[in-house]
């Protein structure tokens, strides 16, 4: 058992956000917060949790009010943030996807080496559709920062990208779109995706890189 924590010697009444970052997976833990009530006696609140994958963040709201009963409460903050990438093309799939997060972890399929990556926390990558084939790459609770999306051509044709992102509360969303982008086998397109879980526009499409050439791309529906 390991204990860690901190003390505020003169705590202010109000709401606090507590973040717990996992260092190892699947470890149960208990969070305890203690502060004096109106009579000066210690009031304690506890909440049990379990770590997710290393690097994943659990968020809690701690509320302190001496006049309340109890004076301290702890509640888990639900995280609805999500990043979804849909690649579609008619007939055979014209491209495959690899997404690299700000820490260098990858999810997707390398069509050259036929190597599948699934290193980003909780991420998934799958083939969908029949008449209009599509690849779906999804990352629940993505970390903030710049992502690189690699689209590698596997057949002559064109593809479209539908990028969807939501913030932590699920209220703010963004849906940049790219339509009918020509490709050929072995052609690699790189896109920069900037994600911020607390921004009014959670996802912004930075640009497209073809080798050493960067081409700015204007989405058809970019709020």
């Amino acid at each position: 058992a390991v204990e860690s924590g901190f003390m505020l010697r003169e705590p202010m009444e109000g709401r606090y956000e507590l973040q717990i970052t996992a260092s190892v997976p699947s470890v149960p833990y208990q969070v305890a917060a203690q502060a004096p009530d109106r009579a000066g006696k210690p009031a304690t609140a506890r909440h049990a949790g379990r770590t997710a994958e290393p690097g994943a963040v659990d968020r809690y709201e701690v509320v302190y009010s001496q006049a309340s009963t109890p004076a301290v409460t702890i509640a888990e903050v639900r995280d609805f943030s999500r990043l979804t990438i849909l690649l579609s093309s008619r007939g055979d799939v014209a491209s495959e996807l690899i997404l690299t997060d700000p820490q260098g972890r990858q999810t997707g399929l390398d069509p050259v080496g036929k190597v599948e990556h699934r290193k980003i926390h909780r991420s998934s990558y799958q083939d969908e559709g029949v008449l209009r084939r599509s690849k779906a790459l999804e990352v629940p609770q993505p970390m903030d920062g710049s992502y690189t999306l690699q689209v590698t051509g596997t057949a002559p044709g064109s593809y479209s990208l539908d990028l969807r992102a939501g913030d932590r509360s699920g209220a703010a969303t963004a849906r940049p779109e790219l339509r009918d982008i020509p490709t050929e086998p072995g052609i690699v397109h790189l896109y920069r995706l900037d994600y911020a879980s607390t921004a009014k526009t959670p996802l912004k499409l930075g640009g497209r890189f073809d080798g050493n050439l960067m081409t700015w791309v204007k989405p058809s529906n970019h709020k």
Side-chain angles (χ1 to χ4, degrees):
V2 178
E3 292 185 353
S4 63
F6 54 87
M7 176 184 293
L8 303 179
R9 295 189 180 277
E10 297 180 1
M12 296 178 61
E13 292 184 289
R15 299 177 182 270
Y16 295 80
E17 181 181 286
L18 175 65
Q19 297 186 14
I20 299 176
T21 304
S23 56
V24 292
S26 301
V27 175
Y29 64 84
Q30 185 180 79
V31 182
Q34 187 179 86
D37 61 13
R38 185 159 44 183
K41 297 181 179 180
T44 304
R46 293 181 173 86
H47 194 288
R50 178 176 290 274
T51 64
E53 301 166 357
V57 177
D58 295 338
R59 292 181 173 86
Y60 297 90
E61 182 182 70
V62 180
V63 180
Y64 175 46
S65 174
Q66 290 184 340
S68 299
T69 304
V72 182
T73 59
I74 301 176
E76 186 174 0
V77 177
R78 296 290 302 275
D79 190 340
F80 297 96
S81 60
R82 186 172 298 271
L83 174 59
T84 303
I85 301 168
L86 298 176
L87 181 146
S88 59
S89 56
R90 295 192 179 278
D92 293 334
V93 175
S95 299
E96 294 284 356
L97 301 173
I98 295 179
L99 183 68
T100 304
D101 76 358
Q103 291 188 350
R105 298 168 298 193
Q106 294 183 321
T107 289
L109 178 65
D110 180 0
V112 178
K114 300 297 182 181
V115 178
E116 185 173 355
H117 305 275
R118 207 178 296 265
K119 300 296 184 180
I120 301 176
H121 297 323
R122 298 178 290 269
S123 63
S124 62
Y125 185 58
Q126 57 188 354
D127 193 345
E128 297 182 344
V130 180
L131 296 178
R132 186 172 180 83
R133 298 280 301 280
S134 64
K135 296 288 185 177
L137 195 159
E138 189 168 50
V139 183
Q141 299 177 11
M143 67 183 305
D144 289 2
S146 294
Y147 292 72
T148 300
L149 177 63
Q150 175 180 312
V151 183
T152 304
T154 58
S158 63
Y159 65 87
S160 296
L161 286 175
D162 184 0
L163 310 174
R164 305 174 185 178
D167 67 355
R168 291 182 196 168
S169 67
T173 59
R175 293 191 60 174
E177 297 175 353
L178 296 171
R179 293 288 175 243
D180 301 324
I181 303 167
T183 188
E184 296 284 344
I187 296 297
V188 177
H189 294 158
L190 298 176
Y191 299 88
R192 191 182 79 241
L193 310 178
D194 297 323
Y195 177 79
S197 59
T198 58
K200 292 183 178 180
T201 303
L203 182 67
K204 294 183 179 180
L205 178 60
R208 191 181 88 187
F209 303 78
D210 299 310
N212 294 324
L213 174 65
M214 183 179 78
T215 305
W216 292 104
V217 180
K218 182 179 180 181
S220 59
N221 182 20
H222 188 182
K223 294 182 181 180

